[in-house]
Amino acid sequence: MVGPSYPGTMNTPDDDWLRLDQQICFSLHAASRAFNGVYRVILKDLGLTYPQYLVMLVLWEHDELPVKKLGEHLRLDSGTLSPLLKRLEAAGLVVRERSARDERSVVVRLTSEGVALRARALQVPRRIATSTGFDADGIRALRASLDELTTALDAAALAQPPAAPPADERS
């Protein structure tokens, strides 16, 4: 029996769909781990981890943001973001303060050291681009494809009904 196929591929027997090398999620996972390895080496000179670098990118773009907005940009919840911000604050790169307008909100802003680090970070994207082997057009095309994929997956996740609990957990 022949199962469904991904667009642009040959039909594949149903049980082949469960092969690891047929999973787009694994290809993305493997690429992400490879990126993390390259970033680890490059960011070591800046004293940042990859997640900390992402926080700094958003802050270099926006100067200061409420933690909630920062989390939205990074697609991270506050439980994941808070430890990152604590480490960045301990390193003297950011300051967290209660908002004067809304005491419930915490605002994150760059320190002068955090602003100065931006100049040293300018070499990171170039070094990453070189590591990929893609030219500028290839990088733009890949990023556009990944953005399309993210949009499609977000829409699919919203369209999915919540999973039913296992039979032994139903009342």
Side-chain angles (χ1 to χ4, degrees):
M1 175 161 138
V2 175
S5 65
Y6 289 131
T9 62
M10 302 288 287
N11 284 340
T12 304
D14 283 343
D15 38 336
D16 282 355
W17 287 117
L18 296 180
R19 289 176 47 102
L20 183 62
D21 64 358
Q22 294 295 313
Q23 308 304 308
I24 189 172
C25 59
F26 184 72
S27 294
L28 288 167
H29 173 73
S32 178
R33 289 184 55 84
F35 259 118
N36 286 340
V38 172
Y39 271 106
R40 188 177 308 110
V41 171
I42 293 172
L43 294 174
K44 187 176 184 181
D45 294 340
L46 300 178
L48 296 174
T49 64
Y50 177 67
Q52 291 169 343
Y53 174 68
L54 295 178
V55 169
M56 296 302 291
L57 287 173
V58 174
L59 291 174
W60 287 326
E61 187 176 342
H62 296 279
D63 296 323
E64 70 175 45
L65 283 173
V67 171
K68 183 176 181 177
K69 281 283 187 204
L70 184 59
E72 289 170 7
H73 281 282
L74 296 170
R75 300 175 69 109
L76 294 174
D77 61 43
S78 62
T80 303
L81 191 53
S82 290
L84 286 171
L85 295 173
K86 283 181 185 176
R87 286 192 291 278
L88 289 169
E89 191 170 36
L93 299 174
V94 303
V95 174
R96 295 177 298 157
E97 301 172 328
R98 291 260 172 228
S99 169
R101 285 177 277 188
D102 180 358
E103 291 269 332
R104 297 169 296 173
S105 178
V106 174
V107 175
V108 182
R109 68 175 170 77
L110 294 166
T111 63
S112 57
E113 292 86 1
V115 172
L117 186 61
R118 185 181 185 280
R120 291 181 44 220
L122 286 171
Q123 48 82 26
V124 172
R126 285 189 282 277
R127 290 180 65 189
I128 293 297
T130 300
S131 297
T132 68
F134 287 96
D135 63 12
D137 289 338
I139 289 171
R140 276 191 287 276
L142 177 59
R143 194 174 49 238
S145 292
L146 291 171
D147 289 346
E148 275 183 55
L149 176 62
T150 300
T151 299
L153 292 174
D154 283 345
L158 289 173
Q160 295 296 320
D168 60 342
E169 290 183 19
R170 292 185 194 143
S171 358

